Amino acid sequence: MERANAEQLIGDVEKQRGRARKALSVFWFPLVVFGGIALFGALVTATAAPPVIFALWIVAWPAGMVATAIYYSQRVHRIGLSVPALPFILIGLCLGVSAFLLGWLGRDTRLGYAGPLFVIGAGYLAFAWLQRSMLEGALALALVVAAVFFSVAQPPHAGSLSLAFFGLASLTVGAWNLRQNANAE
Amino acid sequence: MSADSHPASRLDETVHQRVRLGILGILSEADRASFTYLRDALGVTDGNLSAHLQVLADAGLAQADKEFVDRKPRTWVRATRRGRETFKSEMATLTELVTRYGAKKT
């Protein structure tokens, strides 16, 4: 076999793999959903009593997960490609439960606002690895760094500020990813 | 087979073909791909793709499953573990071949 043929074959296959990878590396929907929930949560945290905040998260997070599952399930049939869903579901569940518990048990302390942000950042890092996305990885690192910053600086209204940061960062990266994949969508 | 045998002798006859290697390439990124996705991505006809999938299935490298969505049949294709290993090995052999030819020319 000639070198040119081998090179062309490798090039063709890598092009197909790259297209499939790009089609699968779409994560704008959960970022927009959870970013929106976090921004609303920031507002609620600044103005409402703890039971209302508790009620918000106990309803909003599972609702966000169900919406995300429906979106990806429909997308699989639309584009005709899928990856195993179980790792994503398990990470999402662990992330949601641990962020909720840290936020609730550590309320009024820095564990209550920096803890969830750190856990979400770590969870997003796992998602970024699964989807091989530098952009999602950058968002995850920004969340981890912000968690450390909030923990050390302890600014006033840190609970609302950390949620607002998570919400805005998620919406920004979500919009960016949507733009990147506008044709595929 | 000796370790320093010519890489061309290690090419797998079944997967050493543009469409079949392309199918396994796509399935190295995805858990499963629909028949329609593979057909459009590889630019082949239904009959052509079916024939290549049959070759891969007969060799135990891929398997097809049919499911119904809104009463319409849809075929999904997966690579078997052996299919994934064969793909990796084929790509490594091709890369070695390119490297060896490149080294000889320079």
Side-chain angles (χ1 to χ4, degrees):
Chain A
M1 182 184 203
E2 286 179 21
R3 181 190 179 195
N5 290 346
E7 271 180 337
Q8 189 171 355
L9 199 49
I10 292 173
D12 285 348
V13 172
E14 288 305 335
K15 203 190 285 178
Q16 298 299 342
R17 293 179 77 186
R19 277 188 199 149
R21 207 178 300 139
K22 193 180 174 201
L24 288 166
S25 185
V26 168
F27 45 81
W28 67 268
F29 186 84
L31 290 190
V32 168
V33 167
F34 288 102
I37 292 172
L39 274 186
F40 184 65
L43 191 69
V44 172
T45 304
T47 54
V52 179
I53 301 167
F54 177 85
L56 167 75
W57 289 110
I58 211 98
V59 172
W61 197 277
M65 280 200 70
V66 169
T68 301
I70 292 170
Y71 166 76
Y72 277 113
S73 153
Q74 289 179 343
R75 191 170 189 277
V76 161
H77 290 286
R78 204 166 60 239
I79 68 166
L81 277 181
S82 77
V83 289
L86 191 62
F88 291 91
I89 294 169
L90 289 178
I91 293 169
L93 281 175
C94 289
L95 190 159
V97 170
S98 48
F100 177 78
L101 286 177
L102 283 171
W104 185 249
L105 298 173
R107 62 187 181 279
D108 303 327
T109 69
R110 59 181 157 181
L111 181 68
Y113 49 83
L117 201 56
F118 187 87
V119 164
I120 292 168
Y124 278 22
L125 208 54
F127 284 139
W129 180 74
L130 283 174
Q131 297 190 297
R132 297 183 202 176
S133 166
M134 294 285 282
L135 182 60
E136 203 173 10
L139 171 66
L141 284 178
L143 295 179
V144 169
V145 169
V148 174
F149 168 77
F150 281 114
S151 172
V152 172
Q154 299 186 52
H157 309 294
S160 298
L161 280 178
S162 60
L163 272 174
F165 177 80
F166 168 48
L168 282 174
S170 295
L171 285 175
T172 306
V173 173
W176 193 340
N177 184 246
L178 176 60
R179 199 172 155 224
Q180 278 181 331
N181 295 282
N183 292 335
E185 292 291 307
Chain B
M1 189 185 297
S2 68
D4 58 351
S5 63
H6 195 280
S9 65
R10 276 179 270 134
L11 290 170
D12 187 306
E13 292 286 318
T14 312
V15 296
H16 188 66
Q17 197 279 340
R18 189 189 73 85
V19 176
R20 294 199 283 272
L21 200 59
I23 293 169
L24 291 179
I26 290 167
L27 294 173
S28 72
E29 296 295 329
D31 174 45
R32 55 183 193 154
S34 70
F35 185 92
T36 315
Y37 179 90
L38 292 173
R39 182 197 63 199
D40 296 345
L42 297 164
V44 290
T45 62
D46 286 1
N48 201 325
L49 180 60
S50 291
H52 286 297
L53 286 174
Q54 193 57 53
V55 172
L56 290 174
D58 289 345
L61 303 177
Q63 64 182 61
D65 302 301
K66 203 163 259 185
E67 69 172 30
F68 286 84
V69 180
D70 297 330
R71 293 181 187 174
K72 287 177 191 162
R74 186 157 210 189
T75 303
W76 289 95
V77 182
R78 290 174 193 273
T80 60
R81 179 179 285 193
R82 202 171 138 220
R84 289 178 190 276
E85 284 165 3
T86 305
F87 171 75
K88 272 188 200 167
S89 160
E90 184 74 3
M91 290 300 278
T93 305
L94 283 171
T95 307
E96 195 186 330
L97 204 60
V98 169
T99 312
R100 188 181 279 208
Y101 273 129
K104 273 184 184 171
K105 277 192 173 179
T106 51

